[in-house]
Amino acid sequence: MNLNDQELLQLVYKNAEMGRDGLDHLIERTEDRDFRRTLAEQFAEYQFVMDEARTRLDAFGQEPKGSSTMAKTAAQWMGDMKCNMDSSSTKLAEMVIEGSTKGVIKLTREMNNYKGVDEKTKALAERLLRTEQANIEQLRSFL
């Protein structure tokens, strides 16, 4: 695994962690069982991607570097503010779609920057990209 693989795996880990942590916070906020189930399924997929990235990084002596405490706190604070104004499934779905859209943009940009990565690294990044896109489609029904 080369430096590009390590950097892309770190980005995959960080993006999946942000998605997972955001969903974890929202799962507690919703009373809609169908919506909660959908978020829980998405949460599990983010966790799977994180675990795979961790395994690949561990194999090469690298520790996964998640988001900073400040970034996590800021994201949670913004989520709390939005939820306090409107915690309907529609609003929460909109928030997740916005986050997933940002994830698609960031991940696509990074994948274009890291050429020549190992096929397994590329496949994991593509899996996260497909996950983000599927999450957007899945949540459209809650708008």
Side-chain angles (χ1 to χ4, degrees), residues 5-139:
D5 285 282
Q6 293 172 27
E7 290 176 3
L8 185 55
L9 284 167
Q10 292 289 1
L11 289 164
V12 165
Y13 183 89
K14 184 187 268 188
N15 283 7
E17 180 189 54
M18 286 297 286
R20 183 205 62 184
D21 290 353
L23 291 179
D24 188 41
H25 188 65
L26 296 180
I27 287 169
E28 300 168 3
R29 294 253 183 184
T30 185
E31 295 180 19
D32 180 329
R33 284 195 317 242
D34 291 336
F35 187 63
R36 185 181 301 123
R37 184 175 29 258
T38 298
L39 295 182
E41 291 167 1
Q42 292 178 1
F43 178 96
E45 179 62 20
Y46 283 127
Q47 186 64 56
F48 176 84
V49 170
M50 286 176 64
D51 292 345
E52 288 295 309
R54 178 188 303 276
T55 298
R56 296 215 8 95
L57 287 163
D58 285 348
F60 293 95
Q62 294 290 312
E63 186 73 24
K65 297 177 184 113
S67 300
S68 70
T69 302
M70 187 169 21
K72 289 179 183 181
T73 302
Q76 187 170 358
W77 183 77
M78 284 298 294
D80 284 345
M81 275 187 41
K82 290 179 180 179
C83 286
N84 288 337
M85 293 186 325
D86 182 358
S87 62
S88 67
S89 297
T90 298
K91 183 61 177 177
L92 298 180
E94 180 182 329
M95 289 170 52
V96 177
I97 289 170
E98 288 171 355
S100 289
T101 300
K102 288 177 185 177
V104 167
I105 292 167
K106 184 172 185 159
L107 192 57
T108 300
R109 183 182 307 126
E110 297 303 336
M111 288 173 67
N112 288 337
N113 288 337
Y114 291 103
K115 302 293 182 191
V117 295
D118 176 273
E119 284 301 313
K120 289 181 180 178
T121 299
K122 183 178 178 183
L124 187 58
E126 288 172 345
R127 179 174 180 150
L128 179 56
L129 184 60
R130 285 190 310 273
T131 295
E132 295 284 20
Q133 292 166 332
N135 290 353
I136 292 166
E137 285 305 308
Q138 212 174 20
L139 291 171

